Amino acid sequence: MKDYQIALLPGDGIGPECMEATRVVLDRIIAETPGLNLKMTSHRAGAELYRDTGETLPAEVLADCIDSDAVLLSAIGLPDVRYPDGTEVQPTMMVGLRRALDVHSAVRPVKLYPGAPCVLRNTGPGIDFVIIRENLEGLFASFGGGAKVGNEVATDTLVVTRRGTSRVSEFAFRLAQRRNGRPSDGKKMVTCVDKANVFRSLAFFREVFFDVAKTHPEIGSDAVYVDAMSLYLVQNPWDFDVLVMENQFGDILSDLGAGLVGGLGLGPSGEIGEHHGLFQPSHGTAPQLAGKNVANPMATMLSASMMLDWLGDQHNDPIAIGAGIRLEMAVAKVLEDGKVRTRDIGGNSSTSDVATAVADAISCDTGCAATA
């Protein structure tokens, strides 16, 4: 049995409410999972803290994030809180945290749960694919850099390295090995998404991807241009399993994917490195909803489920893996029942209503297992 130290960053806007709801379900999971011990420490970070103190991520908070087994973060940033140069707090803080933790692969699951709204008339055999974004390079490598010459010219540089592309490609193949394959036929497949017909940097990304693919002959591999992929994800999303791509492309396609399966309120994410994991919902802070107890906390809960699964995989701990599965199943059960749902997915339930319902679903699962 291992004790896991978890750093919690509730953040801004609806972030603290979503984190509080997630704490409710994590506390229930801990109480009903013998052998699972999460020691959670909460820290202020983000735009509200910057407004109060002039700091977004104090050194002692960053140190605790680095020392912890995982970081669970809610939404960060407020549009009216900016640095003196006019830039927003959120991107600067997040890029700094990612670089400090060296989390090279951003994982965005796109999964249609029964009962979740879907914009497609035909959902085929189901939607269950994962977008993997290279997290530290690509066009985002220009963050804080770039060049502007007077009022006429501005440039940013897209960076692709063999090391960065190899790491994210290797992660994608290892993830595909753990999954059940694409819904259409069960085939395990990793697809490189790029624009290799135009950009040398992305042709190189594809070249390195296929070099890594050769070391995983048991997993299928192919490549699709990003514009074509935008079409295919709407027409036949069930034909995909794991997609790996440059950061900016992943930023765009992951939002498209979330739109297929109920919106960002159901969009979890994880950012994974060799030694650190950072987990957060895909949505923003929605300050217009803050304090109203109406935000959807399911994306944060599903991010916590990803965190437990990663901890279990990282430490060869089946108890943590099982707890992650049970948390995801509890969220799925509440969605399928359809009695408790927030505004963004067609209901009028509160954030705390969702917390109670998911926690009760966890207990029901435990009780059913105990009496079976």
Side-chain angles (χ1 to χ4, degrees), residues 247-266:
N247 207 333
Q248 180 69 10
F249 289 166
D251 194 26
I252 296 167
L253 289 187
S254 60
D255 276 17
L256 186 155
L260 298 177
V261 296
L264 291 175
L266 297 176

Side-chain angles (χ1 to χ4, degrees), residues 36-197:
L36 180 67
N37 192 8
L38 306 181
K39 296 182 178 296
M40 296 177 281
T41 305
S42 184
H43 302 282
R44 287 189 73 200
E48 287 285 0
L49 181 65
Y50 179 78
R51 180 151 49 197
D52 292 345
T53 69
E55 287 188 289
T56 58
L57 187 64
E60 63 273 15
V61 176
L62 177 58
D64 190 56
C65 290
I66 293 172
D67 290 341
S68 294
D69 292 291
V71 179
L72 181 61
L73 179 150
S74 201
I76 292 285
L78 294 171
D80 62 329
V81 180
R82 296 174 179 262
Y83 293 115
D85 64 2
T87 58
E88 287 192 43
V89 165
Q90 186 267 354
T92 302
M93 176 185 152
M94 287 307 305
V95 169
L97 184 57
R98 287 165 181 158
R99 289 174 178 170
L101 297 176
D102 193 29
V103 283
H104 52 70
S105 297
V107 185
R108 295 286 185 93
V110 179
K111 185 173 183 178
L112 181 62
Y113 294 97
C118 182
V119 295
L120 301 181
R121 286 179 295 178
N122 174 22
T123 57
I127 302 173
D128 186 357
F129 63 89
V130 180
I131 290 173
I132 309 292
R133 300 166 51 185
E134 198 294 319
N135 206 35
L136 301 173
E137 299 181 351
L139 196 55
F140 276 55
S142 273
F143 183 82
K148 183 179 179 185
V149 181
N151 292 318
E152 297 296 329
V153 178
T155 65
D156 288 295
T157 302
L158 193 158
V159 176
V160 174
T161 70
R162 178 169 291 276
R163 179 173 184 264
T165 306
S166 295
R167 289 202 299 180
V168 73
S169 298
E170 179 66 29
F171 180 88
F173 279 99
R174 284 191 283 112
L175 179 63
Q177 186 65 64
R178 294 186 65 204
R179 285 172 47 81
N180 295 321
R182 55 193 183 189
S184 58
D185 59 8
K187 181 176 176 61
K188 296 178 186 289
M189 173 72 71
V190 180
T191 301
C192 176
V193 181
D194 57 44
K195 197 65 177 169
N197 57 333

Side-chain angles (χ1 to χ4, degrees), residues 272-345:
I272 310 300
E274 304 307 316
H275 305 290
H276 297 286
L278 167 66
F279 301 86
Q280 62 175 316
S282 301
H283 60 69
T285 58
Q288 71 278 12
L289 302 180
K292 297 181 179 179
N293 196 28
V294 297
N296 188 347
M298 287 183 168
T300 310
M301 294 175 181
L302 290 169
S303 298
S305 169
M306 292 178 66
M307 178 186 74
L308 290 168
D309 179 77
W310 177 76
L311 287 170
D313 184 57
Q314 188 84 347
H315 298 279
N316 193 26
D317 182 355
I319 293 175
I321 292 174
I325 293 170
R326 287 180 55 215
L327 177 49
E328 182 189 10
M329 290 176 61
V331 172
K333 183 178 187 303
V334 172
L335 279 170
E336 186 171 14
D337 287 348
K339 297 173 185 176
V340 177
R341 53 179 67 216
T342 46
R343 288 183 198 173
D344 60 308
I345 53 175

